[in-house]
C-alpha cells in the first residue's frame, strides 16, 4: 500500500492563536530563537492499489472538498515512499 | 395554518430540545428531523441546532455538512426555504457554503459561556423581522469555535448588501472579524448566528429574558403570511 500525505495549513493571513500559544511557551521551556509558529494538520492516507494520476486526482478532490476548508486553509498532497521498499532497521 | 418547523439532530447535537421547545413556545409545530433521513417531512422551515455534531472532529460542522439530511436542506435552502443555523448550525451552514466565510477557534482559545449583548443590524430576514434595526438583545453565547472569518472582499460585500444580521454589542467575545455575530444569505432566507436565541425564550431559563423569542415569532409570521 502506498501512503499519500495531505498537509493542511491555515492560510498565511489567517490568525493562528494555537500556533501563537505554542510560540509563546517556547522561551519558558528554554527554546530560544523561534520567531513564529503556525500549527496545521497532517492526514496520512494508506491507499489501496496504485497511486496513479486518477487516484491522485481523487485525493486532491477529497482534500479540496473535505479535508481542508479552502476558505481558510491551504493544502498540499504528496506521495510518500512505499514503506515495504524500505530496508528493515 | 400552523407552521411546521423542523429541528435537525446530528450525533453530538445538544440544543435540539431547546430549539424544539422554542418553536412550540412561539406557537409553531416542532418537528424532529434526523441526520440520516433525507426526508424533511413537509416542514416549512429548518433549524440546525447547536452542539458538537460528529464531535467537530475534522472542523466544526465539516462532517455534518455531508449528512443525508443536508443534501435536502442545501437543495431546499437554495430554493428559498428558511433555514436558521445556531452556533454549530451556523458552522454547518458555512461548511455547506450556504453562507460565506468560515468559523475558527476563538482568538483566546477558551470556551466561553456568557450572556451576550447583540445589536440587530438586519430586521428584514425571514428570522429577524420581529426585531428592529439597532435594537440590542441579550442571549446566551457558548462556544469555542466562534471566530467568524472571511476575506476582505467578502466582508465588504456582506456590509454593502446589509447581510451582517447581528453584531456583538458590548464586547467581541472571540475575535470575530468586524464584530460579526450573525449573517444572512442574499435572499434573506438563510441566517446563521453564534449565540443561542433558543436559550432565551422564557423567563425561567437562560438569561432570564425572552429576547431570543423574536427569531421564532419572525419565522412563524413569515410562514403564515406566505
Amino acid at each position: 500500500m502506498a501512503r499519500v500525505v495531505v498537509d493542511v495549513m491555515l492560510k498565511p493571513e489567517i490568525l493562528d492563536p494555537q500556533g501563537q500559544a505554542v510560540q509563546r511557551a517556547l522561551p519558558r521551556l528554554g527554546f530560544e530563537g523561534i520567531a513564529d509558529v503556525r500549527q496545521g494538520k497532517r492526514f496520512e492516507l494508506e491507499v489501496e492499489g496504485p497511486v496513479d494520476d486518477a487516484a491522485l486526482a481523487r485525493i486532491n478532490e477529497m482534500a479540496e472538498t473535505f479535508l481542508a476548508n479552502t476558505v481558510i486553509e491551504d493544502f498540499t498532497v504528496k506521495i510518500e515512499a512505499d514503506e515495504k521498499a524500505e530496508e528493515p532497521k | 395554518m400552523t407552521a411546521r418547523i423542523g429541528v435537525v439532530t446530528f450525533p453530538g447535537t445538544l440544543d435540539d430540545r431547546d430549539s424544539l421547545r422554542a418553536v412550540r413556545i412561539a406557537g409553531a409545530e416542532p418537528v424532529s428531523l434526523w441526520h440520516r433521513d433525507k426526508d424533511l417531512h413537509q416542514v416549512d422551515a429548518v433549524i440546525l441546532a447547536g452542539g458538537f455534531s460528529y464531535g467537530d472532529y475534522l472542523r466544526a460542522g465539516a462532517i455534518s455538512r455531508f449528512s443525508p439530511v443536508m443534501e435536502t436542506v442545501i437543495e431546499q435552502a437554495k430554493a428559498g426555504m428558511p433555514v436558521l443555523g445556531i452556533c454549530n448550525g451556523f458552522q454547518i451552514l458555512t461548511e455547506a457554503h450556504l453562507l460565506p466565510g468560515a468559523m475558527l477557534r476563538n482568538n483566546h482559545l477558551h470556551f466561553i459561556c456568557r450572556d451576550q449583548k447583540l445589536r440587530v443590524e438586519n430586521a428584514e430576514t425571514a428570522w429577524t423581522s420581529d426585531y428592529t434595526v439597532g435594537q440590542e438583545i441579550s442571549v446566551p453565547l457558548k462556544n469555542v469555535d466562534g471566530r467568524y472569518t472571511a476575506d476582505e472582499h467578502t466582508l465588504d460585500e456582506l456590509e454593502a448588501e446589509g447581510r451582517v444580521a447581528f453584531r456583538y454589542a458590548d464586547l467581541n467575545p472571540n475575535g470575530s472579524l468586524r464584530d460579526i455575530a450573525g449573517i444572512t444569505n442574499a435572499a434573506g432566507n438563510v441566517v446563521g448566528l453564534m449565540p443561542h436565541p433558543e436559550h432565551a425564550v422564557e423567563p425561567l431559563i437562560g438569561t432570564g429574558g425572552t429576547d431570543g423569542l423574536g427569531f421564532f415569532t419572525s419565522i412563524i409570521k413569515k410562514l403564515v403570511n406566505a
Side-chain angles (χ1 to χ4, degrees):
Chain A
M1 287 219 274
R3 173 177 292 176
V4 176
V5 175
V6 180
D7 279 307
V8 176
M9 290 297 295
L10 281 176
K11 289 182 176 177
E13 67 271 22
I14 304 269
L15 173 72
D16 175 17
Q18 285 176 299
Q20 288 183 342
V22 172
Q23 194 255 333
R24 282 196 301 272
L26 292 175
R28 291 204 300 273
L29 303 172
F31 299 105
E32 305 289 344
I34 306 298
D36 191 28
V37 176
R38 293 182 71 76
Q39 182 175 321
K41 283 180 213 154
R42 174 184 164 104
F43 299 88
E44 297 187 348
L45 314 174
E46 302 296 334
V47 181
E48 291 169 351
V51 183
D52 50 18
D53 285 353
L56 268 182
R58 294 273 298 150
I59 290 167
N60 258 293
E61 186 195 347
M62 182 204 306
E64 191 168 3
T65 53
F66 186 50
L67 299 182
N69 177 346
T70 55
V71 173
I72 47 169
E73 294 167 329
D74 295 324
F75 68 89
T76 59
V77 175
K78 60 177 187 282
I79 306 168
E80 278 211 338
D82 191 341
E83 284 196 333
K84 276 177 279 187
E86 287 179 19
E87 288 293 314
K89 304 240 156 53
Chain B
M1 163 201 164
T2 307
R4 285 168 58 85
I5 301 179
V7 177
V8 179
T9 301
F10 299 91
T13 298
L14 301 173
D15 299 323
D16 41 349
R17 290 288 178 158
D18 281 33
S19 297
L20 290 163
R21 186 177 172 83
V23 165
R24 182 166 55 72
I25 287 170
E29 183 188 346
V31 179
S32 287
L33 300 175
W34 182 236
H35 68 114
R36 291 183 64 178
D37 187 359
K38 272 190 190 181
D39 189 346
L40 296 185
H41 301 275
Q42 291 89 46
V43 296
D44 305 300
V46 166
I47 295 171
L48 304 176
F52 296 86
S53 59
Y54 290 88
D56 284 351
Y57 290 143
L58 177 60
R59 291 177 308 278
I63 299 176
S64 340
R65 174 253 177 278
F66 292 99
S67 63
V69 74
M70 283 305 294
E71 274 182 47
T72 320
V73 169
I74 290 168
E75 187 186 292
Q76 291 298 310
K78 285 178 177 167
M81 189 185 69
V83 178
L84 174 66
I86 302 168
C87 197
N88 194 240
F90 187 9
Q91 293 158 343
I92 295 169
L93 290 176
T94 60
E95 284 285 341
H97 305 301
L98 285 173
L99 292 174
M103 219 64 68
L104 286 156
R105 186 65 51 91
N106 294 340
N107 59 350
H108 45 70
L109 300 175
H110 298 287
F111 184 92
I112 20 172
C113 182
R114 66 190 306 272
D115 291 346
Q116 176 68 47
K117 204 176 269 183
L118 300 176
R119 192 172 56 252
V120 179
E121 302 277 11
N122 182 334
E124 288 172 16
T125 79
W127 300 90
T128 59
S129 61
D130 263 359
Y131 295 108
T132 51
V133 172
Q135 186 181 351
E136 290 195 349
I137 61 171
S138 178
V139 295
L141 171 80
K142 53 186 177 90
N143 64 66
V144 69
D145 292 301
R147 175 165 53 110
Y148 181 76
T149 305
D151 61 35
E152 286 296 309
H153 172 75
T154 304
L155 292 169
D156 288 343
E157 200 173 80
L158 287 173
E159 303 269 11
E161 294 174 7
R163 289 169 53 194
V164 175
F166 293 90
R167 256 186 256 268
Y168 297 114
D170 50 354
L171 90 174
N172 182 330
N174 48 31
S176 281
L177 296 182
R178 303 196 193 180
D179 300 332
I180 289 173
I183 57 173
T184 178
N185 66 346
N189 63 310
V190 180
V191 171
L193 81 163
M194 285 314 293
H196 290 265
E198 80 283 16
H199 295 331
V201 295
E202 51 194 339
L204 198 58
I205 58 160
T207 56
T210 58
D211 284 2
L213 199 56
F215 282 83
F216 308 96
T217 53
S218 295
I219 190 62
I220 291 170
K221 277 187 193 161
K222 158 99 182 158
L223 294 171
V224 170
N225 295 335

